[in-house]
Amino acid sequence: MSKLLWKTLLVSPAVLGATLVVSVGAVRAVDSTSVNSANELNPTEAVQPLTAEVEIQQPQPIASVTAPTAQQTQELSTTATKALVEPTTAQVNVPAQVAITQNQQLNPASPETEALAPIPSVTPGVNPTLAQATPAAPADSNVLDQINRYSREGNSNTIDQVTNVTQLSDVSPGDWAYEALQSLVERYGCIAGYPDGTYRGNRALTRYEFAAGLNACLQQVERLIAASVSDFVTREDLETLQRLVQEFEAELATLGTRVDDLEGRVAFLEDNQFSTTTKLVGEAIFAVTDSFGDINLGNVFDDDDDVFDDDDTNTIFGDRVRLELQTSFTGRDVLRTRLQAGNLEAFNVSPGSAEGTQTFNLYENGNDITLDKLTYTFPFGSSRLYVAAFGGLHHDYAPTLNPYFQDEDGGNGALSTFASESPIYRIGGGAGAAISLGVGPLESILGPSTLTVGYLAGNAANPGEDAGLFNGDYGALAQLNFNLGDRIGIGATYVHGYHDSLNPIFGLGGSGNSTPTTFSDQLRNGVVGTFFANNPSATGSLLSTGGLDNAVPTVSNSYGIEAAFRLTNNISISGFGSYTNAILLDQGGAEIWSYGAGVAFSDFGKEGNILGIFAGVQPYLGSVDAPGVNDVDVRDSDRPYHIEAFYKFQVSENISVTPGVIWLTAPNQGDDDAVIGTLRTTFRF
């Protein structure tokens, strides 16, 4: 084509000028003080994902956009080709898209509140297919919409044609294409500027846009020929224009076909779509797992009273399935309705202990379908609000700063609940609300910062005694997150909780057995930690009387710190520590400790793979002041160390396989060890 253009130089300067102007964006950019490159028309509004994880294209009604007025022109910037035709008021079909994150909501992997945004999410780049859901319009449709707009504008005479190149305020005689513009304006009359009198000649253009501009000039030439102005258009001009038409004949011929095809597809999807507001996201986990080691049935604080039972558990194979409906009404909100079923319970590594809980374990579900979560998240000014009617958790809205280990759903991160996140986020759960807002004064010092405050009640729907929204178990959280540079994120967390008698502190707001009478009757109702860390008031009752009738409610004040450090693009180091001051009503007090750290290697061996190693101490009773308890024995008891390693192998975009092992050195602060081996397969759809 370049040979043709240079030959044209010898035939007609006017035609050469036309070709240079309409292709100027493809060969050379010229600085222009009247154009802001960031000022582009972009109808898509995206809400940053809240955890990491799944991007949802949300179909929206077609928007009607009117061509800009003179005062609005600087806010809407299209391409330079638009200046080749006469603009007019037009209806533009702009497909709206919405990005909603699936994983962690306002969690890091939910950039809405995650302080360490640069650290990647645990969940790989998976975009689940939604049954019969309307997909976002293809990128080509945007180009076709622009071309249609240009064509309509070029066939209207509602705005006066530029008759002199001096009418274009940003075109000066010193510009290299000035003479070409002058010829096209004054000889052919197929150039129109923007309503504010500018031409914006430094904008880039596509071949489609070039075809649209060329078509506008050809139509003007045809009108001149029809008017019998024989001496105005030379034979050489017509021959050159004919060759240009042939050059872009394929592009021009496909426009009508593409538009017809897109209209047919849109009509079909509108008639057969699952929902205009809702997406379906699913996850199924198959797990083969077994535990090895002895179980201490004796007094964990007295070596002379140890009674061990051989671990005779069999290897088990089970499942857990979750189906989540994600609904958006405005494009910036999300209503989550999650159903789940499963048949895998946690191993009893020690009576009453929750140290063997894995992320896919459910409590006595038996593959019955139950409602697991019902929450709604929406913007409020510059803040983000979270409301949970059922199944709300603190990590839904508060950043946990544990990338690659925490993924909320438990199908792609760590195997154990302990390694997934700090135990402080397990204090409280259920129904309630939370708000996350930016902290302006700190941002100038520490970078992007967020303050999160939330309240969740475990028995909010129960009108009975010691229940309800404010009179039963609850956890109230406050957390400040901030960044130090672009590689370090730090969080400081405080949780105040109330726990009825024998309701676990680290139990997500759930209630335990209402009538336990002996140690063996007490169920594993927490999700992390030793039995006495979850029920410190039971310590005195159990050791002094052999029963749990004297257990009392507990008030807890917990303090935690979380940090994550991105050493390289593929190495992440994270850790946490927490301290709980438990007040045993009418008995005394207790101290509970927990800490841990891990390193994760992303894309280890293959893109999407993750190698994770984590070590720490599960929540344990550090000291206690209760009737009948020898605090020295408690202080001298073993620490329940937890060591875990896993390797997630990404088989495909929607399937991953994770083998791993968990070593518990002293479950329930006893002398016995336990080992859990697991092979987890996760299907996401």
Side-chain angles (χ1 to χ4, degrees):
M1 178 179 176
S2 61
K3 292 182 178 180
L4 175 61
L5 294 180
W6 286 113
K7 287 181 65 177
T8 306
L9 178 62
L10 303 177
V11 179
S12 174
V15 175
L16 174 61
T19 305
L20 290 174
V21 170
V22 296
S23 59
V24 60
V27 298
R28 180 174 177 182
V30 180
D31 293 336
S32 175
T33 57
S34 63
V35 178
N36 187 339
S37 61
N39 212 9
E40 297 179 351
L41 177 60
N42 184 4
T44 302
E45 181 173 354
V47 178
Q48 293 185 350
L50 304 174
T51 163
E53 15 224 0
V54 177
E55 178 178 324
I56 301 173
Q57 300 287 343
Q58 178 63 40
Q60 294 293 319
I62 299 300
S64 178
V65 180
T66 303
T69 63
Q71 292 77 12
Q72 297 171 327
T73 303
Q74 294 301 328
E75 299 175 0
L76 302 175
S77 175
T78 58
T79 61
T81 307
K82 180 173 181 180
L84 295 173
V85 294
E86 299 177 10
T88 183
T89 302
Q91 298 297 317
V92 181
N93 291 334
V94 182
Q97 299 174 343
V98 179
I100 305 176
T101 60
Q102 180 257 355
N103 198 15
Q104 296 197 15
Q105 298 299 310
L106 296 177
N107 224 357
S110 9
E112 289 291 328
T113 58
E114 178 60 87
L116 190 62
I119 295 182
S121 170
V122 174
T123 306
V126 177
N127 190 5
T129 302
L130 309 177
Q132 293 183 328
T134 303
D140 286 348
S141 64
N142 292 331
V143 177
L144 295 176
D145 287 339
Q146 292 178 350
I147 293 174
N148 289 335
R149 181 168 73 242
Y150 300 150
S151 298
R152 287 192 295 269
E153 292 173 347
N155 294 326
S156 173
N157 293 317
T158 57
I159 297 179
D160 292 338
Q161 169 68 43
V162 175
T163 59
N164 193 300
V165 72
T166 57
Q167 293 178 250
L168 301 173
S169 62
D170 58 345
V171 176
S172 63
D175 293 335
W176 69 278
Y178 178 81
E179 293 182 359
L181 277 173
Q182 184 180 35
S183 177
L184 288 172
V185 170
E186 299 176 0
R187 183 178 182 187
Y188 289 98
C190 61
I191 292 294
Y194 284 86
D196 65 345
T198 61
Y199 179 63
R200 305 181 188 180
N202 70 328
R203 306 295 295 173
L205 79 164
T206 66
R207 287 175 63 85
Y208 287 120
E209 295 163 351
F210 180 85
L214 176 61
N215 185 60
C217 281
L218 290 176
Q219 291 177 354
Q220 177 67 6
V221 171
E222 290 176 356
R223 287 194 290 268
L224 293 174
I225 295 175
S228 299
V229 188
S230 59
D231 60 343
F232 196 75
V233 180
T234 66
R235 180 180 182 86
E236 290 80 2
D237 291 343
L238 295 177
E239 290 177 352
T240 302
L241 290 173
Q242 184 178 7
R243 294 178 184 177
L244 289 173
V245 171
Q246 293 174 352
E247 173 72 18
F248 291 94
E249 184 176 7
E251 285 81 356
L252 292 171
T254 59
L255 293 180
T257 303
R258 286 174 177 264
V259 172
D260 292 341
D261 180 62
L262 289 173
E263 288 179 349
R265 291 168 59 187
V266 170
F268 175 81
L269 292 173
E270 288 178 346
D271 294 337
N272 297 275
Q273 60 188 333
F274 168 71
S275 171
T276 59
T277 59
T278 303
K279 301 290 186 182
L280 174 64
V281 177
E283 181 186 74
I285 295 176
F286 293 176
V288 179
T289 184
D290 198 356
S291 66
F292 309 91
D294 295 333
I295 300 176
N296 186 356
L297 302 179
N299 186 343
V300 296
F301 297 138
D302 189 348
D303 293 339
D304 297 332
D305 194 30
D306 286 347
V307 178
F308 292 95
D309 183 27
D310 291 337
D311 179 10
D312 56 357
T313 61
N314 296 313
T315 301
I316 59 175
F317 176 45
D319 68 272
R320 192 203 69 187
V321 179
R322 282 177 173 172
L323 298 177
E324 180 171 288
L325 298 173
Q326 298 179 343
T327 304
S328 179
F329 304 100
T330 66
R332 302 181 61 198
D333 61 342
V334 57
L335 173 68
R336 303 178 65 194
T337 306
R338 190 168 74 187
L339 305 175
Q340 76 171 4
N343 60 4
L344 291 169
E345 297 183 29
F347 286 117
N348 182 19
V349 296
S350 186
S353 170
E355 297 163 85
T357 306
Q358 300 183 74
T359 57
F360 48 76
N361 289 142
L362 299 179
Y363 174 66
E364 291 185 351
N365 183 269
N367 267 329
D368 293 332
I369 299 176
T370 60
L371 178 65
D372 173 58
K373 185 183 293 291
L374 182 60
T375 64
Y376 181 55
T377 306
F378 61 97
F380 183 75
S382 59
S383 303
R384 196 81 177 162
L385 287 177
Y386 167 89
V387 179
F390 182 79
L393 301 173
H394 292 308
H395 69 218
D396 286 344
Y397 62 86
T400 61
L401 291 174
N402 203 23
Y404 299 109
F405 293 97
Q406 203 275 349
D407 74 332
E408 183 197 11
D409 284 330
N412 289 278
L415 293 173
S416 69
T417 56
F418 172 68
S420 298
E421 62 189 45
S422 171
I424 199 170
Y425 299 107
R426 310 290 185 177
I427 303 175
I435 184 171
S436 180
L437 61 156
V439 185
L442 286 178
E443 293 190 0
S444 60
I445 303 174
L446 302 174
S449 306
T450 58
L451 175 64
T452 303
V453 179
Y455 176 91
L456 296 174
N459 297 298
N462 185 353
E465 185 179 1
D466 295 330
L469 187 60
F470 301 107
N471 203 37
D473 286 30
Y474 68 83
L477 177 144
Q479 178 169 306
L480 177 64
N481 278 80
F482 51 88
N483 286 346
L484 296 177
D486 60 352
R487 290 185 177 270
I488 300 177
I490 298 177
T493 308
Y494 167 74
V495 177
H496 173 75
Y498 173 82
H499 319 276
D500 203 1
S501 176
L502 295 179
N503 284 354
I505 293 178
F506 305 98
L508 302 177
S511 299
N513 192 329
S514 58
T515 58
T517 57
T518 65
F519 188 84
S520 59
D521 289 336
Q522 175 62 34
L523 302 178
R524 302 187 309 276
N525 45 33
V527 294
V528 290
T530 66
F531 171 78
F532 289 121
N534 278 288
N535 302 277
S537 68
T539 308
S541 302
L542 178 66
L543 298 183
S544 61
T545 65
L548 300 176
D549 294 335
N550 296 328
V552 297
T554 302
V555 175
S556 64
N557 292 287
S558 302
Y559 310 86
I561 186 168
E562 305 81 35
F565 171 53
R566 187 180 63 184
L567 184 62
T568 69
N569 291 336
N570 300 107
I571 301 178
S572 173
I573 301 174
S574 55
F576 57 76
S578 67
Y579 162 75
T580 298
N581 178 25
I583 302 173
L584 315 180
L585 299 183
D586 299 325
Q587 281 192 359
E591 294 182 347
I592 302 167
W593 297 86
S594 179
Y595 45 87
V599 56
F601 303 87
S602 63
D603 298 335
F604 191 83
K606 176 186 174 183
E607 183 177 0
N609 293 0
I610 297 174
L611 173 63
I613 302 173
F614 196 92
V617 177
Q618 294 222 17
Y620 70 94
L621 188 63
S623 64
V624 62
D625 179 14
V629 179
N630 186 342
D631 185 57
V632 175
D633 291 338
V634 175
R635 292 179 180 272
D636 291 342
S637 62
D638 293 333
R639 301 291 180 265
Y641 288 103
H642 174 113
I643 301 172
E644 177 177 347
F646 67 91
Y647 181 65
K648 189 194 76 167
F649 179 76
Q650 198 69 36
V651 178
S652 67
E653 184 179 15
N654 300 97
I655 303 176
S656 65
V657 177
T658 307
V661 61
I662 302 170
W663 177 24
L664 305 174
T665 63
N668 259 343
Q669 300 176 242
D671 294 330
D672 53 321
D673 288 5
V675 177
I676 299 174
T678 298
L679 177 64
R680 178 186 68 194
T681 302
T682 303
F683 306 87
R684 300 179 66 89
F685 52 93

